[in-house]
Amino acid sequence: MDPDLDLRKVRYFVAVAERLHFGQAASALHITQPALSRQIQQLERDLGVELFARSSREVALTPAGEAFFRSGRQLLAAGRTALEGARRAAAGDHTLRVGFMLAMDTEAVLAAFGARHPGVSVLLQRLRWWKHAELILDGSVDAGFVRLPIAGEGLELLPLYTEPVSVALPAYHPHASRSEVGIADIADEPVLHYADAIAAWNAFWCVDPRPDGTQARRGPVVHDMEEIVEYVRTGRGVAFLPAVVCAMFPRPGIAYVPVTDIPPGQVALAWAAGRRTPLVDGLAEAAQQTVGDGRA
């Protein structure tokens, strides 16, 4: 009899297959690299095939691994959908799960929604740049307030408002005391990149390429705002951020300076195509009405 498939091992496999690097996958999964290697080896024994071709220099998927990678992602998505479906059935039709990203003020929108739907419980979940599309598509949230760009396949987007962009500089930088800068003023600075983000996200939020077509100098990869703060403060790179995020993280040793000649960030409400419910409609209507004056 074939052994039951352990979804945890499948999740570990997909993490390695996406990165083709055991160390990076282990870090993302918050486990040790030896433990991850043991789980992958056990999965290969369970399946009776080799999923990875390993050498001292690289990790590559075998043909069996490529096939299982496609099926594994579908399997994990189906598992999440089944889990969320069970939770929704238990909660009934009186719960709306809403995602949001850092420094988004959703209070006015949710207050307007609540006034129209007083019997609905709203549950909030933080969305991160590397998986904000995934959590909407797999049903973890019904809709999400997101910053663009986002992997838009399978999503419907309602643009809401724009956000000015500032650059985070070390306090000793020559331009740190200025009221504003142009992109050319900081063209030679290394730019922090966002770990596990889609290419379009890094292209926009790293201003790469620049308006004149030149490439930005690549700085370290960061995983959260705390890492951004430390890298900037120690002079390892600069970061382009929504001005509202900067306002939430005043720190000694850092200056946030508006950048005048790059596009603003765009905030949108997103939901899975084909899964627009009456409650999602109600949230979209509340968002449109509330942000008509530029607030959210």
Side-chain angles (χ1 to χ4, degrees):
M1 179 182 294
D2 291 335
D4 292 334
L5 195 58
D6 186 339
L7 288 183
R8 182 184 61 175
K9 294 175 187 173
V10 176
R11 181 165 63 89
Y12 290 173
F13 162 76
V14 168
V16 177
E18 288 175 340
R19 297 164 178 82
L20 294 179
H21 193 289
F22 275 79
Q24 293 176 9
S27 177
L29 293 165
H30 304 292
I31 63 173
T32 66
Q33 185 171 335
L36 176 59
S37 297
R38 288 194 296 271
Q39 292 295 319
I40 296 300
Q41 291 167 359
Q42 183 60 56
L43 177 62
E44 289 176 321
R45 288 194 291 269
D46 291 345
L47 297 175
V49 298
E50 287 192 356
L51 299 172
F52 293 105
R54 306 165 177 85
S55 72
S56 59
R57 294 185 177 182
E58 64 179 6
V59 176
L61 286 166
T62 65
E66 291 178 355
F68 191 65
F69 183 33
R70 294 190 295 270
S71 300
R73 286 194 296 186
Q74 295 172 356
L75 184 62
L76 292 178
R80 288 190 294 265
T81 299
L83 178 61
E84 290 303 319
R87 289 172 175 169
R88 291 175 195 281
D93 296 328
H94 302 294
T95 301
L96 181 69
R97 294 172 172 83
V98 179
F100 67 97
M101 299 186 75
L102 186 64
M104 285 186 173
D105 182 5
T106 61
E107 181 180 359
V109 174
L110 296 180
F113 173 83
R116 296 173 176 82
H117 303 274
V120 175
S121 174
V122 176
L123 303 180
L124 299 176
Q125 180 170 339
R126 169 86 178 274
L127 304 178
R128 316 280 179 157
W129 65 68
W130 60 87
K131 61 186 306 182
H132 51 340
E134 177 184 340
L135 293 179
I136 298 170
L137 289 170
D138 70 15
S140 295
V141 297
D142 299 297
F145 293 93
V146 299
R147 290 188 174 95
L148 305 185
I150 189 171
E153 184 177 355
L155 293 178
E156 293 186 33
L157 300 174
L158 173 65
L160 297 177
Y161 60 93
T162 60
E163 298 174 318
V165 176
S166 294
V167 62
L169 301 172
Y172 56 79
H173 191 280
H175 299 316
S177 61
R178 292 177 55 176
S179 61
E180 60 184 36
V181 294
I183 189 67
D185 296 324
I186 47 177
D188 295 331
E189 301 292 344
V191 181
L192 303 180
H193 276 58
Y194 294 86
D196 298 323
I198 61 172
W201 178 276
N202 270 320
F204 182 85
W205 287 104
C206 299
V207 196
D208 187 16
R210 300 292 165 74
D212 64 1
T214 59
Q215 298 292 314
R217 285 182 60 198
R218 187 180 180 93
V221 172
V222 293
H223 299 80
D224 53 36
M225 191 62 193
E226 288 74 15
E227 289 186 5
I228 291 174
V229 166
E230 289 305 310
Y231 274 122
V232 172
R233 183 160 52 191
T234 56
R236 301 284 303 283
V238 303
F240 296 95
L241 300 162
V244 292
V245 172
C246 299
M248 284 189 64
F249 285 86
R251 294 291 189 275
I254 289 186
Y256 299 110
V257 184
V259 185
T260 59
D261 55 351
I262 59 176
Q266 175 71 57
V267 172
L269 183 67
W271 60 89
R275 207 160 63 221
R276 180 166 177 164
T277 66
L279 291 183
V280 171
D281 276 335
L283 183 65
E285 292 170 5
Q288 283 182 301
Q289 294 173 5
T290 305
V291 303
D293 59 358
R295 295 180 296 108

